[in-house]
Amino acid sequence: MRAARLIKMVLLLQSRPSMTAGELARELEVSERTVTRDAQALSEAGVPVYADRGRAGGYRLVGGYRTRLTGLARNEAEALFLSGVPGALREMGLEDAASAARLKVAAALLPSLRDAPDSAAGRFHLDAPAWFREPETPPLLPAVAEAVWDDRRVRVRYRRADGEVERTLEPYGLVLKAGVWYLCARVAADGSFRTYRIDRFEAVDALDEHFDRDPGFDLPGHWAGQAERFARSLLRAEAVVRLSPQGVRRLPYAVDPLAAREALAGAPEPDGEGWVTVTVPVESEEVAHAQLTALGPEAEVLAPAGLRERLAGDAARLAALYGRTDAG
């Protein structure tokens, strides 16, 4: 445990000019006293860790010290080669850079770990696009990706339902969701963060202006919040549904997962037959009809009346079809 922590400490100091005891303690999840002892142990082992005293002081490596990646365990080395999606890197125009980086990392590994790339590739393959959809790479994606890497402002033309708009954006990060690329960006005019589908960009022009990133911006957190708000914005109606025990188990697979969680979180105690009545947020009566049909006899729609009539009509037609004596 300590050996792994010491290696991580060296790698942290290698990646930054210096770090305070507090910063190292947070990264290593130990006390500042432990950081002091670990720095002393590294120094005694021949690693040139130097402690700067004073309020602005901290720890740093001197003499251009670098360590090879000889502290990696096999599972760590294999995980390293799973850190990217090859197709996504290719679409962003980064395939050559990623390939060169993998070669350099592989060359720095111990001989016993040189097979880590093949070992990982032979066991895991990441296929991002959704089923039944031919993945299409937005032609402007490489230009957007380059601006993201360079922290460079871009002027874009974006296609919306009400026409095209022009914006100057500060591109913070790219997200690949079910085969669709999105850009999370700050609008230069008002400082708000918004999300754009890359395939709706009609033009992207990089400007000769760099921007300072907000250090508090968290791309995964921003995306999670945006995705949940978007899902909620679609759920504009409700359906009151009576569910059997099997229907309760199958509801998350039939409707939006967020809607299922909200419906089941407020579920009352089952009635005498073991059924529960819940209110399910739905996008529309038409969408709910398609979704709840999948539950078959494990669900009874109580409201709205129009949705109940639709499903009752379906049930009558099914009964007529399966009640025919001339089948076969």
Side-chain angles (χ1 to χ4, degrees):
M1 185 69 178
R2 190 189 186 201
R5 190 176 71 242
L6 292 175
I7 292 171
K8 184 176 181 180
M9 184 173 180
V10 173
L11 293 175
L12 284 169
L13 293 174
Q14 242 181 229
S15 65
R16 308 179 195 181
S18 69
M19 295 182 69
T20 66
E23 290 172 335
L24 284 167
R26 285 191 295 274
E27 291 280 358
L28 300 172
E29 298 180 348
V30 295
S31 67
E32 293 189 21
R33 181 174 297 180
T34 298
V35 168
T36 301
R37 288 198 297 264
D38 285 352
Q40 181 64 31
L42 287 171
S43 181
E44 292 173 356
V47 178
V49 177
Y50 181 79
D52 291 312
R53 305 297 178 185
R55 292 183 60 184
Y59 293 93
R60 59 187 174 89
L61 294 174
V62 296
Y65 180 84
R66 309 290 294 177
T67 182
R68 291 169 62 85
L69 298 177
T70 54
L72 288 176
R74 170 164 289 278
N75 63 339
E76 294 171 332
E78 291 172 344
L80 185 63
F81 289 93
L82 290 174
S83 59
V85 183
L89 293 171
R90 181 173 58 253
E91 291 177 6
M92 289 189 291
L94 299 174
E95 184 177 26
D96 291 343
S99 177
R102 285 193 294 269
L103 286 173
K104 291 178 181 178
V105 172
L109 293 172
L110 288 171
S112 60
L113 300 179
R114 294 285 168 80
D115 65 334
D118 294 334
S119 175
R123 288 169 172 80
F124 302 97
H125 176 66
L126 305 177
D127 186 9
W131 286 106
F132 313 117
R133 170 186 289 172
E134 287 295 327
E136 295 183 4
T137 303
L140 295 174
L141 176 61
V144 176
E146 185 175 354
V148 169
W149 278 115
D150 291 345
D151 294 337
R152 186 184 296 276
R153 286 182 172 176
V154 293
R155 184 176 292 111
V156 304
R157 285 204 330 273
Y158 186 73
R159 186 176 69 256
R160 301 193 310 194
D162 58 349
E164 290 186 5
V165 296
E166 188 170 293
R167 295 278 187 273
T168 297
L169 303 177
E170 297 174 350
Y172 267 63
L174 289 166
V175 175
L176 177 61
K177 171 70 171 179
V180 179
W181 283 96
Y182 296 87
L183 171 67
C184 299
R186 184 167 60 186
V187 181
D190 58 19
S192 63
F193 282 95
R194 300 185 188 179
T195 302
Y196 300 86
R197 278 186 59 145
I198 301 295
D199 58 6
R200 292 181 182 168
F201 283 136
E202 296 294 328
V204 175
D205 296 316
L207 305 178
D208 293 328
E209 304 172 19
H210 294 274
F211 65 92
D212 295 324
R213 298 177 66 90
D214 180 352
F217 179 79
D218 171 28
L219 180 59
H222 171 81
W223 175 258
Q226 287 281 97
E228 183 166 339
R229 284 192 292 274
F230 176 71
R232 287 183 185 279
S233 71
L234 295 178
L235 304 175
R236 304 183 184 93
E238 292 182 340
V240 181
V241 186
R242 186 167 172 261
L243 298 169
S244 71
Q246 179 70 4
V248 169
R249 289 190 290 271
R250 288 168 53 185
L251 185 66
Y253 302 98
V255 303
D256 182 89
L258 175 64
R261 285 199 304 271
E262 290 190 2
L264 297 177
E269 291 296 318
D271 60 21
E273 298 177 346
W275 289 51
V276 296
T277 300
V278 299
T279 299
V280 184
V282 295
E283 184 173 343
S284 66
E285 188 172 303
E286 291 76 13
V287 173
H289 175 224
Q291 292 174 330
L292 296 174
T293 296
L295 297 178
E298 308 302 330
E300 177 191 4
V301 172
L302 304 179
L307 179 57
R308 181 179 175 87
E309 290 170 4
R310 286 183 184 223
L311 290 166
D314 291 345
R317 291 173 59 197
L318 283 170
L321 284 173
Y322 285 98
R324 289 169 47 184
T325 58
D326 60 345

